Amino acid sequence: MRRIIPISLLALLLAILLPLFLVYMPEPPEPEEVPAEPAAEPVAQPAPEPEPPEPEAAPLPDGSLDAGFTLSVLFGDEIREMTMADFLQGVVAAEMPALFHEEALKAQAVAARTYTLHRKLVTPTPRHPEADVCGDYACCQAYASVDRLQERWGEDFDYYRARIAMAVQATDGQVLLYDDQPILAAFHAASYGYTEASGAIWGAVPYLQSVPSHEGADQVPRFYYDVEITFSRFRETVLSHHPEAVLDDDNIPYWISNIVYTDSGRLDSLTIGGVLVQGARFRQMFSLRSTAIRFSFSDTGMTITTGGHGHGVGMSQFGANTMATAGYRYREILDWYYTGVVWSDVSELVLP
């Protein structure tokens, strides 16, 4: 059941010289079932292992399924043929910090492989019909080239590259299925107490349900993040997207009304100047880190506080790292975040 939060107290702004009206960010809801206790120490930047493995210590195994699977990948205006093994190493390196726990890296490798196969076999994108996937995070998945990784990692390149390679190789060919098809293995950086059900954003999918996720401010940099916006900037931004909104100076207490939150505590919708705006759209309008949003108001503007980072659907990467640090294996992590999936490998898929 969704909750409707009236903001009738805003009407007092003009009547009593615009006093502060505050809506505080609550603590994450307490789940009924806890998969793991959060790590006592921050896990965003765990210490390297004392003796980093050399990259040549993890060669591709004989008969590697990923090495035998070829993809067409779009990079800018160029389409390149590459193996799943090579593509995944660039994706995992771009999508997750290389110092995350090895079980979290393995979970990311399986999620990235499954997402890639879903894009290729189930829902090809009309943005690039000539290629299976692309290296653009806004369309498919982020991808980091060797040159980019060398620049980023510097003298630690060999160590980090070996960690990524071993995560991909340890999960060679493994894929998550639902109804015999690769799932839309969505993932995001960090949740706020619970992940979001896909139905709140994209349409209901059985395996993308809201589940507890136990990362927090101790594990996630900028877990809570404030964006300060003056009333004039707020009005300008809203009108650039919805010119029909009524945002007069003498109407400030009624600019925002009917705030609705989803069961996971994220903004579902709100009415701005008489216009209904969806939560995901509001996040995009103001470039916010998530839709776990709360407002506080002053006499000159508002502060929007967000919790977590990303759309909230599917696997939380910091949540996966928190679980891995607590002792969970990558299969347990993925079974937690993707409801009712079946494990398989690419050799079992029916290819076109």
Side-chain angles (χ1 to χ4, degrees), residues 56-286:
E56 59 267 20
L60 283 173
D62 293 337
S64 166
L65 296 174
D66 286 338
F69 196 102
T70 303
L71 298 165
S72 58
V73 184
L74 178 66
F75 296 105
D77 297 327
E78 177 189 1
I79 296 179
R80 290 166 46 192
E81 298 293 321
M82 58 194 312
T83 67
M84 178 73 80
D86 290 338
F87 180 64
L88 287 182
Q89 290 190 35
V91 169
V92 175
E95 293 282 8
M96 179 174 276
L99 277 178
F100 269 20
H101 194 285
E102 63 180 17
E103 294 299 313
L105 291 171
K106 292 175 187 176
Q108 181 67 63
V110 176
R113 182 184 297 107
T114 303
Y115 184 96
T116 299
L117 291 167
H118 180 88
R119 178 68 84 196
K120 175 178 173 63
L121 302 176
V122 182
T123 57
T125 176
R127 296 184 185 182
H128 47 74
E130 71 283 9
D132 297 324
V133 290
C134 71
D136 180 359
Y137 77 92
C139 179
C140 293
Q141 298 176 98
Y143 176 90
S145 65
V146 171
D147 289 344
R148 179 181 169 191
L149 293 175
Q150 286 176 327
E151 180 179 354
R152 178 196 299 175
W153 291 335
E155 62 183 16
D156 296 320
F157 171 79
D158 288 342
Y159 170 64
Y160 292 138
R161 190 184 188 193
R163 295 193 94 236
I164 299 296
M166 280 190 265
V168 173
Q169 294 161 19
T171 64
D172 183 54
Q174 295 175 26
V175 61
L176 302 172
L177 306 180
Y178 193 92
D179 284 344
D180 299 323
Q181 292 185 324
I183 69 169
L184 174 60
F187 50 87
H188 60 282
S191 279
Y192 175 63
Y194 285 84
T195 65
E196 181 65 284
S198 64
I201 304 178
W202 307 318
V205 176
Y207 49 82
L208 292 176
Q209 300 298 317
S210 178
V211 300
S213 193
H214 290 272
E215 68 278 27
D218 288 341
Q219 290 82 29
V220 185
R222 299 190 299 171
F223 183 74
Y224 295 109
Y225 193 74
D226 292 341
V227 177
E228 296 183 357
I229 303 174
T230 63
F231 286 130
S232 60
R233 180 193 160 202
F234 182 84
R235 174 169 49 198
E236 179 182 351
T237 301
V238 171
L239 292 178
S240 68
H241 294 274
H242 296 284
E244 71 276 23
V246 179
L247 301 173
D248 298 330
D249 287 341
D250 59 356
N251 197 38
I252 290 176
Y254 305 100
W255 279 7
I256 299 176
S257 61
N258 300 326
I259 303 176
V260 180
Y261 290 103
T262 68
D263 290 340
S264 73
R266 292 172 174 82
L267 181 65
D268 179 76
S269 64
L270 74 170
T271 299
I272 306 177
V275 178
L276 180 66
V277 178
Q278 297 302 313
R281 178 62 172 166
F282 183 81
R283 178 196 174 198
Q284 182 184 42
M285 287 166 56
F286 289 94

Side-chain angles (χ1 to χ4, degrees), residues 34-46 96-97 99-105 107-108 188-193 212-221 223 315-330 332-334 336-337:
V34 179
E37 289 295 326
E41 299 294 331
V43 298
Q45 295 296 331
M96 179 174 276
L99 277 178
F100 269 20
H101 194 285
E102 63 180 17
E103 294 299 313
L105 291 171
Q108 181 67 63
H188 60 282
S191 279
Y192 175 63
S213 193
H214 290 272
E215 68 278 27
D218 288 341
Q219 290 82 29
V220 185
F223 183 74
M315 185 184 75
S316 164
Q317 294 169 314
F318 275 92
N321 199 45
T322 299
M323 290 183 70
T325 302
Y328 286 78
R329 306 298 296 273
Y330 72 95
E332 295 172 308
I333 294 169
L334 292 169
W336 180 261
Y337 283 109

Side-chain angles (χ1 to χ4, degrees), residues 292-307:
I293 293 169
R294 300 296 184 272
F295 300 91
S296 62
F297 297 84
S298 71
D299 57 349
T300 59
M302 67 185 71
T303 299
I304 302 176
T305 301
T306 60

